[in-house]
Amino acid sequence: MSEAPNRGTKNFAGDFYLLATIMLWGNTFASAKIVMTELSPSVFVSSRFLIACILLLLLLRWRGVLYLPRRRDLPMLILLGLLGISLNQYVWSAGLNLTTASKAAVLIATAPIFTNLFSIARHLIKGGSSDALPGPLAWFGILLSFGGVFLVLNNSLTAITLGGGSLLGDAAILFAAMLWAFYSVMATPYLKSMGALPVSAWTLFFGALGLLPIGLLNLGDVTSDAFTLPIIACFLFTAIGSAALGNLWWYEGISRLGVSRAAVYSYLIPVVAVVSANLLLGETFSLIQAFGAAIVLTGVAITRRFTPAG
């Protein structure tokens, strides 16, 4: 009798964690732009993830569960950290320098599609049943959400306005989306055996180690102008909120709803980012973009409803 209420509570908690994560990650774009007026991208990225991993390790210590991962888990956790955090950030930054911000945002929003493809591949390799795979309506929701994201960023119903950039930059952003999808899918079994907090803490730790060398190389470029109150506040938000809590809550959501259901929430990030940029940076948000945001929300709801948990 208690199974249905427990499942409902679990789903509600999963939705809460994912929506909170999207709010953090969506607001990171504007905050990061403010920080990077004074800090180089390499120093910014490496320092924020170093602080994030320290905070999560301290949280593990406070809970009395700080221990080294099992030897058999260590190689995959290192791989997840280096690919999902270090390389992802390197590739994303390089791609953003070679293409337009609008095109980059559209391309990075393909991560849920790659997540579903990786999930299907992993499921089939393990010999799982086809009943657990996303159905036609779930895929319709995915494509609908992607169309809504494109409309938000294109800001036109009659013309394509995402010109500029290079093929190499576009490919780099797509590769970054694939890396994040791989990161989310491959972490799933470790979430079940270790828990969201240890997985988040250790992957951030190894990812921060991978980012540290390039940050140290550019540390000499930091000036006293980087220590104003707005810069410090935005930096702490991106480090504590986005990198630490965001990664932790993302895994908490995956552990409750499954990676396929969780991945579709990524489509909300550009929508939140546009609103945040409007409020913090004075960028405009048109009626067409509002219509696109509504399409994104509809697609998320459809995919959430018709994707099996797992």
Side-chain angles (χ1 to χ4, degrees):
M1 293 291 292
S2 62
E3 182 178 355
N6 288 341
R7 187 185 301 116
T9 301
K10 182 179 180 181
N11 289 345
F12 175 81
D15 289 326
F16 170 80
Y17 281 122
L18 292 171
L19 287 173
T21 300
I22 295 316
M23 292 301 297
L24 291 173
W25 286 351
N27 281 284
T28 297
F29 288 85
S31 299
K33 289 192 70 172
I34 293 173
V35 174
M36 287 190 288
T37 59
E38 298 297 339
L39 289 182
S40 68
S42 59
V43 172
F44 167 61
V45 170
S46 59
S47 58
R48 67 184 279 246
F49 277 99
L50 180 62
I51 290 174
C53 86
I54 291 173
L55 288 174
L56 290 187
L57 290 173
L58 287 175
L59 182 56
L60 279 175
R61 178 69 180 86
W62 178 69
R63 289 187 176 180
V65 290
L66 178 59
Y67 55 87
L68 290 175
R70 294 175 299 183
R71 184 175 299 179
R72 66 183 184 184
D73 295 334
L74 199 56
M76 181 56 72
L77 292 176
I78 294 174
L79 182 65
L80 289 173
L82 294 178
L83 293 182
I85 302 296
S86 303
L87 185 58
N88 178 283
Q89 290 295 314
Y90 283 132
V91 170
W92 180 83
S93 299
L96 194 59
N97 286 331
L98 296 173
T99 191
T100 64
S102 295
K103 286 179 72 177
V106 171
L107 293 171
I108 204 69
T110 61
I113 294 177
F114 292 119
T115 299
N116 274 279
L117 292 175
F118 285 138
S119 296
I120 290 170
R122 185 169 67 92
H123 183 79
L124 293 178
I125 289 173
K126 292 172 60 178
S129 169
S130 60
D131 294 337
L133 299 178
L137 286 175
W139 282 105
F140 170 74
I142 289 173
L143 294 176
L144 186 64
S145 291
F146 183 72
V149 168
F150 180 85
L151 188 57
V152 167
L153 296 166
N154 189 59
N155 195 23
S156 175
L157 292 171
T158 60
I160 303 298
T161 63
L162 300 176
S166 72
L167 182 60
L168 181 60
D170 297 342
I173 297 297
L174 278 174
F175 185 45
M178 293 176 66
L179 287 171
W180 180 253
F182 178 84
Y183 176 58
S184 298
V185 171
M186 297 308 294
T188 302
Y190 299 92
L191 295 175
K192 296 177 180 178
S193 62
M194 295 176 59
L197 179 56
V199 171
S200 302
W202 287 111
T203 55
L204 276 180
F205 173 76
F206 295 121
L209 289 182
L211 288 166
L212 195 57
I214 191 172
L216 292 175
L217 287 175
N218 294 277
L219 192 59
D221 297 334
V222 179
T223 66
S224 59
D225 294 334
F227 297 98
T228 63
L229 185 58
I231 299 295
I232 293 173
C234 289
F235 175 81
L236 291 177
F237 170 78
T238 62
I240 299 173
S242 174
L245 288 178
N247 278 276
L248 173 60
W249 288 350
W250 177 255
Y251 276 146
E252 291 283 8
I254 288 178
S255 67
R256 287 165 171 78
L257 298 183
V259 65
S260 295
R261 284 183 174 182
V264 76
Y265 279 87
S266 299
Y267 281 122
L268 293 173
I269 295 175
V271 177
V272 176
V274 169
V275 175
S276 176
N278 173 259
L279 296 176
L280 297 179
L281 303 175
E283 297 182 3
T284 59
F285 189 75
S286 68
L287 289 176
I288 292 175
Q289 289 174 310
F291 177 59
I295 293 176
V296 172
L297 291 171
T298 302
V300 168
I302 292 173
T303 307
R304 170 70 177 79
R305 170 66 178 82
F306 293 102
T307 297

